[in-house]
Amino acid sequence: MHILPASEQLPVNVNPFYCWQGDAGRREVLFYRLSEAYLIRHPGLVDFTLWPSNQKVSAVPVPSISDTTVEYIFNNQIQPLLSSAQGRLVLHGSAVASPDGALVFLAPSGTGKSTVASFLAGVGFPLLSDDAVTLLPGNVSTQVQPAFPGVRLWEDSLDALGLRGVSAQQGAEYSEKYQVAAGGSMAYCESAQPLCAVFLLSRGDGIDLNLKPLSGSEALVSVLRNSFFLSFDDRPKVVEHFARTRCLLGDTPVVELSYSTGYDQLADIAQRFANMDFVNMGPVAHPSSLHSP
């Protein structure tokens, strides 16, 4: 990545073809197609221009935004998009290791996937990755790759999990999250693990802990919705992305995990996982084709 001199963000003469919501829906990220490149705008922060064909990236921050913030956003949001453009499947989630393999947690920003992974990493399920989970084909099964040994947590989660004094540092200028390094009570797994199960997190006030297996297109679409992907405007690449996801997911169980807002049920989740036979949860039939809307 090449960071260019700071400049105010100017109007773009084309409409964005896609937008993201940031942490807890707090900030939009706008995607524009510019000939052979993509412009990804974080309003009030930085513009990234990506050339996927040669993996080049330039960044133009607005005045007063530090290079540290630019690099923080690049590592957490732009790099996963580049990996996806290289043909890798990168999911927006967190992952931990179990005796049976990797457990992946997917959810929109602010839903608690990093909190769940952090708690589990302290009770026998070492952390594999946070925010971006990369799946690669293996000789026998799909492999989940280890990533940066740390998590990003909101301040209330930091306190609830007792991690404030464990290598916790304030995040970049645009985020109130803290970066927490793994180690000590938060175990970390350094080796790739076979994909074992995918959990879609759903939480709300007063919800009982519940696990609901998903099947068919419901499971596949849920995973696709939680993937990093850049070329929404390129139909052949969309079809290729769908096929790659279906192939790597294989017959992996996809389960909706519903639990109550707060932290009281985290120990119950860990207990369920400790007693769960992931290998014999049963295969899920993911469709070989899916009609586009």
Side-chain angles (χ1 to χ4, degrees):
M1 176 184 61
H2 183 46
I3 301 178
L4 300 174
S7 174
E8 297 292 347
Q9 291 175 322
L10 300 175
V12 183
N13 60 5
V14 295
N15 292 324
F17 66 86
Y18 190 70
C19 69
W20 271 352
Q21 293 296 320
D23 290 329
R26 297 186 181 194
R27 190 184 298 275
E28 286 188 338
V29 181
L30 303 175
F31 291 71
Y32 300 88
R33 185 64 186 258
L34 306 176
S35 185
E36 299 301 316
Y38 290 92
L39 171 65
I40 302 179
R41 168 163 290 180
H42 293 70
L45 293 170
V46 59
D47 283 346
F48 290 97
T49 303
L50 283 65
W51 290 267
S53 61
N54 58 19
Q55 295 290 293
K56 288 186 178 180
V57 180
S58 66
V60 180
V62 303
S64 80
I65 296 300
S66 67
D67 288 357
T68 299
T69 293
V70 174
E71 292 167 357
Y72 187 90
I73 298 173
F74 174 81
N75 290 332
N76 284 284
Q77 297 187 15
I78 304 303
Q79 187 61 62
L81 289 170
L82 288 175
S83 294
S84 172
Q86 289 179 306
R88 296 178 177 178
L89 177 60
V90 186
L91 303 179
H92 182 208
S94 301
V96 299
S98 78
D100 293 324
L103 311 180
V104 176
F105 304 99
L106 306 181
S109 295
T111 308
K113 54 190 178 295
S114 297
T115 300
V116 170
S118 298
F119 182 87
L120 292 173
V123 293
F125 297 86
L127 178 73
L128 270 169
S129 62
D130 182 47
D131 271 346
V133 179
T134 301
L135 275 57
L136 294 176
N139 293 331
V140 177
S141 62
T142 296
Q143 299 290 301
V144 177
Q145 301 298 300
F148 177 79
V151 297
R152 296 192 308 137
L153 295 171
W154 296 107
E155 189 171 14
D156 56 347
S157 293
L158 197 69
D159 291 332
L161 299 178
L163 294 173
R164 181 174 288 278
V166 185
S167 301
Q169 297 181 350
Q170 182 77 51
E173 294 151 313
Y174 87 109
S175 175
E176 297 176 5
K177 281 189 171 182
Y178 286 76
Q179 185 77 52
V180 184
S185 63
M186 186 189 297
Y188 174 69
C189 180
E190 298 181 352
S191 59
Q193 298 292 307
L195 177 62
C196 180
V198 176
F199 295 89
L200 300 164
L201 301 186
S202 173
R203 67 176 184 174
D205 294 337
I207 294 178
D208 292 331
L209 178 60
N210 184 58
L211 295 169
K212 174 189 173 184
L214 304 179
S215 61
S217 60
E218 183 181 16
L220 183 56
V221 169
S222 295
V223 174
L224 285 165
R225 285 175 176 167
N226 287 281
S227 62
F228 285 92
F229 185 63
L230 184 61
S231 304
F232 290 99
D233 61 332
D234 188 325
R235 184 173 178 80
K237 290 185 178 179
V238 171
V239 172
E240 181 182 341
H241 179 60
F242 162 79
R244 180 184 305 114
T245 304
R246 176 179 58 81
C247 179
L248 289 175
L249 196 59
D251 60 2
T252 301
V254 179
V255 181
E256 182 180 31
L257 170 58
S258 302
Y259 64 106
S260 181
T261 302
Y263 307 93
D264 293 342
Q265 292 181 346
L266 292 177
D268 295 333
I269 293 173
Q271 187 62 45
R272 287 279 191 101
F273 287 170
N275 297 326
M276 190 174 293
D277 183 358
F278 296 104
V279 174
N280 294 312
M281 287 179 68
V284 175
H286 303 299
S288 58
S289 63
L290 187 68
H291 296 293
S292 300

